[in-house]
Amino acid sequence: MKIGIIGAGSIGGNLGRGWAKAGHEIRFGVRKPEAAAELVAECGERAQATDVQTAAAFAEVVVVSTPYNALPEVVSSLGDLEGKVIVDATNPVAWDKGPTHGSSTSAAEEIAAAAPGARVVKAFNTFGAEHLLDPKFGDRTLDVYIAGDDADAKASVAALVEALGLVPVDAGPLRNARLVEHLAVLWIHLATQGGLGRDIGFSLLRK
Ligand SMILES: NC(=O)c1ccc[n+]([C@@H]2O[C@H](COP(=O)([O-])OP(=O)(O)OC[C@H]3O[C@@H](n4cnc5c(N)ncnc54)[C@H](OP(=O)(O)O)[C@@H]3O)[C@@H](O)[C@H]2O)c1
C-alpha cells in the first residue's frame, strides 16, 4: 500500500519503520525532508521524505502524526483529500494537575470537519510509540482501537495494524474517537502520574 506519514517523529517514524519492513511504500511528509535522511535510510528503498503535500498526493492512506496543535496547518496543507483514508494518531492532551482531553469533540472529528470527503479513522494513539515495533507484553499483544464511519477505510487500517503485529479492535463510529482519545489520556495518567511507567498497554480480555 502507498502510505503518506505526516510527521516523522516518535509515532510517524516507528509506523514508517514497521510498514516499510512489511513491504509498504512510505512517503514521510515533513517540513525539512533532509532532516529525515537517517530515518529514510533505516526504512530502506521503499521510503522517501518529501514535503507534506507531495506525500499526501502519493498516498492511498495518509497518517497524521504531528502534534495536535499543528492540525489546522497540517490539514490545510494536505491538498485534495477526497476519498482518501486519513488515519489520525494525534492526541489533544491538555494538562491540569494531570493529563486531560483537550478537545470539545475529538481530534479525529476536527480533522473530518476540516477535510470533507476524506475517510477519517482514529488509531495508534493509545500507547507509547516505542511499543509499535515491539507490541508483545508477555503472552498478550497490544490492541489498536479503531474508530471511523467508513467500513472499508477501517478494514484497510485494521490490515495495517496487523502488518505491524498488533491487534485491531473496532471501536465503532468516528464519534467514538472521543472514547479512544480519553483512553490515551488514561494511558498517559497511568504512565506519568500513576507510577506505572511507559511499559504498559491495553489489551481486551475475552471469554
Ligand atoms: N510519542 C508517543 O508515544 C505518542 C503516543 C500516542 C500518540 N502520540 C501523538 O502522536 C502525535 C505525534 O507525537 P510524536 O511523539 O511522534 O511527536 P514528535 O516526536 O514531536 O514528532 C512530531 C512530528 O510532527 C512534525 N510537525 C510538527 N508540526 C508540524 C507542522 N506544522 N507541519 C508538518 N509537520 C509538523 C514534526 O516535524 P519537525 O521536526 O519539522 O518539527 C515531527 O516530525 C502527537 O499528537 C501525540 O500526541 C504520541
Side-chain angles (χ1 to χ4, degrees):
M1 190 175 285
K2 293 177 175 179
I3 306 170
I5 300 178
I6 313 306
S10 304
I11 286 280
N14 276 354
L15 286 171
R17 288 179 182 96
W19 284 329
K21 196 171 172 194
H24 295 287
E25 292 283 324
I26 307 299
R27 295 293 179 273
F28 292 106
V30 290
R31 294 185 284 196
K32 293 182 194 145
E34 64 284 2
E38 203 173 310
L39 171 62
V40 168
E42 247 184 89
C43 293
E45 61 187 14
R46 295 194 186 88
Q48 291 177 24
T50 68
D51 63 81
V52 168
Q53 191 168 358
T54 304
F58 164 86
E60 299 155 81
V61 171
V62 179
V63 179
V64 181
S65 50
T66 63
Y68 166 73
N69 291 341
L71 282 182
E73 180 190 340
V74 168
V75 175
S76 67
S77 64
L78 289 176
D80 182 12
L81 295 170
E82 184 69 37
K84 292 217 191 221
V85 178
I86 309 292
V87 181
D88 170 35
T90 71
N91 275 321
V93 179
W95 204 265
D96 176 16
K97 299 184 185 130
T100 62
H101 188 239
S103 165
S104 57
T105 57
S106 64
E109 289 165 283
E110 290 177 29
I111 292 174
R119 299 183 288 158
V120 179
V121 176
K122 187 83 203 179
F124 299 114
N125 65 310
T126 53
F127 48 80
E130 61 274 29
H131 302 304
L132 281 167
L133 299 180
D134 184 16
K136 290 277 181 200
F137 288 70
D139 60 354
R140 308 287 296 276
T141 305
L142 201 53
D143 286 342
V144 175
Y145 302 99
I146 298 174
D149 289 336
D150 185 295
D152 289 342
K154 285 204 285 190
S156 296
V157 176
L160 289 174
V161 169
E162 287 172 340
L164 297 171
L166 291 98
V167 179
V169 177
D170 188 339
L174 191 65
R175 69 164 187 271
N176 285 359
R178 302 173 193 198
L179 309 180
V180 178
E181 291 176 10
H182 278 90
L183 192 58
V185 176
L186 176 61
W187 186 93
I188 294 166
H189 167 80
L190 294 172
T192 65
Q193 311 262 288
L196 299 185
R198 293 177 64 89
D199 277 345
I200 55 171
F202 298 114
S203 170
L204 285 179
L205 294 172
R206 292 178 178 82
K207 278 189 178 172

